């Protein structure tokens, strides 16, 4: 094995280690928060169905939807020409992975929009602004994806090595340009949501339920900070990486954003929050049916009193 092949193998090993770590994080966090999910969503009356549907679509869509991705990255077979001949399967899995990321990010975007919409007391102008901004982001993402696929077919593809683990294809520089634009557009969406949340929190006129606003701001800051770092790392891999390390954080960014939004929705239904409001139902009703759905004033169960950190 020459130096070039050894370098490629090192890149692939790094890719596999990171993929294994993020899938471990995904399943570990699910088991860690399963009690909260049962107490705060399964065992409580839900007035608004849309937030709950979005929560479950994100949570279980990410959990089960990554199974084909695991197959794509860790499909073990002898490294022979016969494995390379089934590139159609790998191509299908790769297309599924791209579509899956877009789907999950769309669900997360809708959840963030509803969250901000609730914070602004269902202001139709704010909703219209977010809708137009989000539509522009989608157009940019779709356009860059089409550009990427066109360049991928038009450019000369590097030789695909017969691999014993997974069926990872190299990412060319032409593909990287379109993907950088797509992920940068998603970063702009996060900046928009964070800016609106920050403005509402610092403004003099706040919605009813002042105890809830600091929670929204705290969670929003944490989400924004983590996603900025994750998106930046992902973009840098496309800009500075090698063919087999470009997009190294694709799945990582998708998994982290899914876990973060799940935590945000679990926090908003924390029984401790309802207890702190001292039975003031008007303090939480502004979010009913929009994002926070329903917070019961029943005493919290012993196994869900701990605050999320």
């Amino acid at each position: 094995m020459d130096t070039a092949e050894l370098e490629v193998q090192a890149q692939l090993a790094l890719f596999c280690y990171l993929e294994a770590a993020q899938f471990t994080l995904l399943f570990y966090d699910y088991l860690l928060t399963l009690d909260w999910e049962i107490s705060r969503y399964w065992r409580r009356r839900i007035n608004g169905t849309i937030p709950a549907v979005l929560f479950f679509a994100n949570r279980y869509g990410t959990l089960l939807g990554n199974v084909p991705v695991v197959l794509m990255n860790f499909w073990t077979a002898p490294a022979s020409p016969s494995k390379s001949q089934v590139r159609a399967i790998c191509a299908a899995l790769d297309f599924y992975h791209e579509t899956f990321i877009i789907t999950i990010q769309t669900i997360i975007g809708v959840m963030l929009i509803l969250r901000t919409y609730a914070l602004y007391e269902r202001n139709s102008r704010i909703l219209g602004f977010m809708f137009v901004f989000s539509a522009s982001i989608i157009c940019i993402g779709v356009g860059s994806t089409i550009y990427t696929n066109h360049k991928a077919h038009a450019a000369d593809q590097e030789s695909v090595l017969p691999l014993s683990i997974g069926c990872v294809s190299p990412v060319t520089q032409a593909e990287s340009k379109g993907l950088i634009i797509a992920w940068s557009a998603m970063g702009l969406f996060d900046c928009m949501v964070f800016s609106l949340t920050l403005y509402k929190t610092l403004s003099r006129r706040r919605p009813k339920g002042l105890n809830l606003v600091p929670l929204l701001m705290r969670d929003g800051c944490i989400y924004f900070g983590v996603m900025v770092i994750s998106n930046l790392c992902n973009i840098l891999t496309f800009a500075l990486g090698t063919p087999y390390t470009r997009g190294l954080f694709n799945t990582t960014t998708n998994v982290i954003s899914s876990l973060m939004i799940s935590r945000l929705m679990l926090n908003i239904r924390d029984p401790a929050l309802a207890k702190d409001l001292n039975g003031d139902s008007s303090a939480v009703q502004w979010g009913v049916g929009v994002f926070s759905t329903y917070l019961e004033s029943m005493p919290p169960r012993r196994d869900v009193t701990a605050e999320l950190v």
Side-chain angles (χ1 to χ4, degrees):
M1 185 177 295
D2 57 21
T3 305
E5 291 183 353
L6 286 175
E7 183 178 351
V8 170
Q9 292 296 337
Q11 297 173 23
L12 292 173
L14 177 62
F15 177 84
C16 290
Y17 293 149
L18 183 60
E19 292 289 305
Q22 61 201 14
F23 291 137
T24 301
L25 175 64
L26 173 63
F27 291 102
Y28 174 74
D29 188 80
Y30 171 76
L31 295 176
L32 192 66
T33 58
L34 182 58
D35 288 343
W36 292 328
E37 176 190 331
I38 294 174
S39 298
R40 300 175 189 185
Y41 278 89
W42 291 105
R43 294 181 180 176
R44 291 194 173 208
R45 180 165 60 90
I46 300 176
N47 284 351
T49 57
I50 293 179
V53 169
L54 290 172
F55 173 80
F56 290 122
N58 167 68
R59 189 162 169 88
Y60 289 96
T62 304
L63 192 69
L64 301 178
N66 271 298
V67 173
V69 181
V70 174
L71 175 63
M72 179 181 71
N73 294 329
F74 298 101
W75 169 31
T76 303
S80 62
S82 61
K83 184 178 181 181
S84 300
Q85 291 173 1
V86 291
R87 297 303 302 173
I89 298 178
C90 292
L93 289 173
D94 188 61
F95 176 77
Y96 165 81
H97 190 203
E98 294 179 359
T99 306
F100 172 68
I101 290 177
I102 294 174
T103 302
I104 294 299
Q105 290 300 316
T106 300
I107 294 174
I108 293 173
V110 172
M111 294 162 73
L112 290 173
I113 288 175
L114 293 181
R115 178 186 178 89
T116 309
Y117 179 48
L119 184 61
Y120 277 81
E121 302 178 84
R122 306 180 185 181
N123 189 307
S124 58
R125 293 182 179 179
I126 293 297
L127 181 62
F129 167 75
M130 291 189 293
F131 176 79
V132 173
F133 192 94
S134 302
S136 302
I137 293 297
I138 292 174
C139 291
I140 293 174
V142 171
S144 61
T145 301
I146 294 175
Y147 169 84
T148 297
N149 292 335
H150 174 73
K151 288 295 182 180
H153 290 292
D156 292 332
Q157 295 294 313
E158 302 180 34
S159 60
V160 179
L161 299 177
L163 306 174
S164 58
I165 299 179
C167 50
V168 182
S169 300
V171 179
T172 64
Q173 290 184 348
E175 294 177 88
S176 297
K177 295 179 181 179
L179 293 171
I180 288 175
I181 295 174
W183 284 105
S184 298
M186 294 174 63
L188 288 177
F189 175 82
D190 290 334
C191 290
M192 181 269 293
V193 172
F194 175 75
S195 299
L196 289 175
T197 303
L198 180 63
Y199 174 79
K200 191 62 176 180
T201 304
L202 298 180
S203 64
R204 294 182 179 180
R205 183 176 181 274
R206 295 183 179 182
K208 296 179 180 180
L210 297 180
N211 290 336
L212 190 59
V213 174
L215 173 68
L216 295 175
M217 185 58 195
R218 183 202 68 183
D219 287 357
C221 286
I222 295 175
Y223 178 88
F224 178 76
V226 172
M227 291 313 303
V228 164
I229 296 175
S230 182
N231 273 324
L232 182 60
C233 291
N234 197 27
I235 292 172
L236 288 177
T237 62
F238 287 114
L240 306 175
T242 58
Y244 284 96
T245 58
R246 292 179 184 131
L248 191 64
F249 289 95
N250 262 347
T251 306
T252 302
T253 303
N254 198 46
V255 167
I256 289 178
S257 61
S258 176
L259 296 181
M260 292 291 294
I261 197 66
S262 293
R263 291 273 184 161
L264 263 61
M265 292 198 72
L266 287 170
N267 275 1
I268 205 70
R269 292 180 59 82
D270 188 353
L273 177 61
K275 182 179 180 180
D276 290 341
L277 294 174
N278 297 321
D280 183 10
S281 60
S282 64
V284 295
Q285 289 302 314
W286 62 270
V288 169
V290 180
F291 181 85
S292 56
T293 63
Y294 182 80
L295 287 170
E296 295 180 89
S297 58
M298 60 180 291
R301 292 176 55 86
R302 184 172 300 177
D303 60 341
V304 295
T305 55
E307 291 282 350
L308 291 176
V309 295

